[in-house]
Amino acid sequence: MSFDVEVFMTRHRGLRLVWAPIVAFALAACGGEPTNSLGAPDEGFPSTTREPPPASHSQILVDASHDGGVWWFPQAGEFNADEYHQGQALADYLRSRGFEVEELPRGTRVTDVLLSGYRYVIRAGEFGAYGSDELEAYAKFVKRGVTLILLSDHRKNDPVDELAEQLGVTFAGIVDGTVTRLASHAITEGVTDLPFIAGAAATGFDPEQVEVLGWVADTIPVMGIIHGHQAKIFFLTDTNGIELVPQPFVDNLIAWGFSER
């Protein structure tokens, strides 16, 4: 499976013009250097570790430790799940459905011990390199009967999503528009379209291992399931859109990924 990002950008400039005001905001929030509340570059975030809670099937970990400014925006420096941030609506909706949701602040170190306390993980965005120990922790995680919802963003300023590539798919370039072509699946049942704001294209994957469920502009794969692991793994190459809690998509995803096996 191959995908030429430059060809896509040339053929679909109309989509970028239509979405320009929204994309400009999304790029400011998710695509550039992390900024503090004054708009100046942050000096970086200390690496911290977190111990897991007692294991429970009602707990969801939102790994926003490598968020580039989509999940936690407009917060910077100190991150508080109780204060407004773009990912709050989705996290609160999951809580309203009876789940306990833990949101990892940017700069938290992902470890095997941490992930071992959870059955359900949402990786919310990716900016900056993962450490080899963090990738190893995820490699062990997906060998269990767990669920990983892998959310990413455009790759303008950070071309490589190491975790996605480790799992078998490459995210590349910048794509914006709407997901209007959807494959038939329990996750897409009743869904006619999905907002897609400054995400990436899914490419460089084995079509026998990756089941594509959604496309932008009919031809650009952006959403699907990665097979070949013990875990259930769903990917969506944009985080902004799902933060709007589009329905029935979110409920479908909950039923597919966060239910008893």
Side-chain angles (χ1 to χ4, degrees), residues 70-163:
V70 177
W71 187 267
W72 286 111
F73 184 81
Q75 295 186 30
E78 297 292 333
F79 304 96
N80 187 339
D82 294 327
E83 296 180 1
Y84 173 74
H85 54 289
Q86 287 188 155
Q88 188 175 39
L90 178 58
D92 283 350
Y93 182 73
L94 292 170
R95 293 181 180 109
S96 77
R97 291 290 306 271
F99 294 97
E100 300 172 45
V101 181
E102 170 79 3
E103 300 171 66
L104 286 188
R106 191 159 60 201
T108 304
R109 201 74 178 172
V110 177
T111 66
D112 180 42
V113 172
L114 173 64
L115 295 182
S116 68
Y118 294 90
R119 184 178 180 185
Y120 309 131
V121 172
I122 299 173
R123 198 291 302 272
E126 192 277 342
F127 184 84
Y130 277 92
S132 59
D133 56 333
E134 294 180 294
L135 293 174
E136 179 61 25
Y138 267 110
K140 292 179 180 179
F141 178 73
V142 299
K143 290 180 180 178
R144 297 161 41 209
V146 297
T147 296
L148 174 61
I149 306 299
L150 188 70
L151 306 178
S152 194
D153 287 295
H154 72 80
R155 312 313 308 173
K156 177 182 179 182
N157 300 307
D158 180 14
V160 180
D161 185 332
E162 296 92 353
L163 179 55

Side-chain angles (χ1 to χ4, degrees), residues 1 25 41 59 67 93 109 127 130 139 164 194 213 227 238 251:
M1 177 71 179
F25 176 81
Q59 292 172 327
D67 170 52
Y93 182 73
R109 201 74 178 172
F127 184 84
Y130 277 92
L194 287 171
L213 298 181
H227 298 288
D238 167 51
D251 280 350

Side-chain angles (χ1 to χ4, degrees), residues 7 27 33 149 156 165 197 208-209 234:
V7 169
L27 292 178
E33 187 176 16
I149 306 299
K156 177 182 179 182
E165 294 194 3
I197 307 167
E208 294 186 359
Q209 294 294 316
F234 169 85

Side-chain angles (χ1 to χ4, degrees), residues 93 97 185-191 246-259:
Y93 182 73
R97 291 290 306 271
H185 191 275
I187 294 174
T188 61
E189 186 177 357
V191 180
Q247 294 292 11
F249 172 70
V250 170
D251 280 350
N252 291 349
L253 193 58
I254 290 171
W256 175 83
F258 302 150
S259 58

Side-chain angles (χ1 to χ4, degrees), residues 1-5 202-205 207 219 221:
M1 177 71 179
S2 63
F3 174 75
D4 191 321
V5 176
T203 182
F205 57 80
T219 59

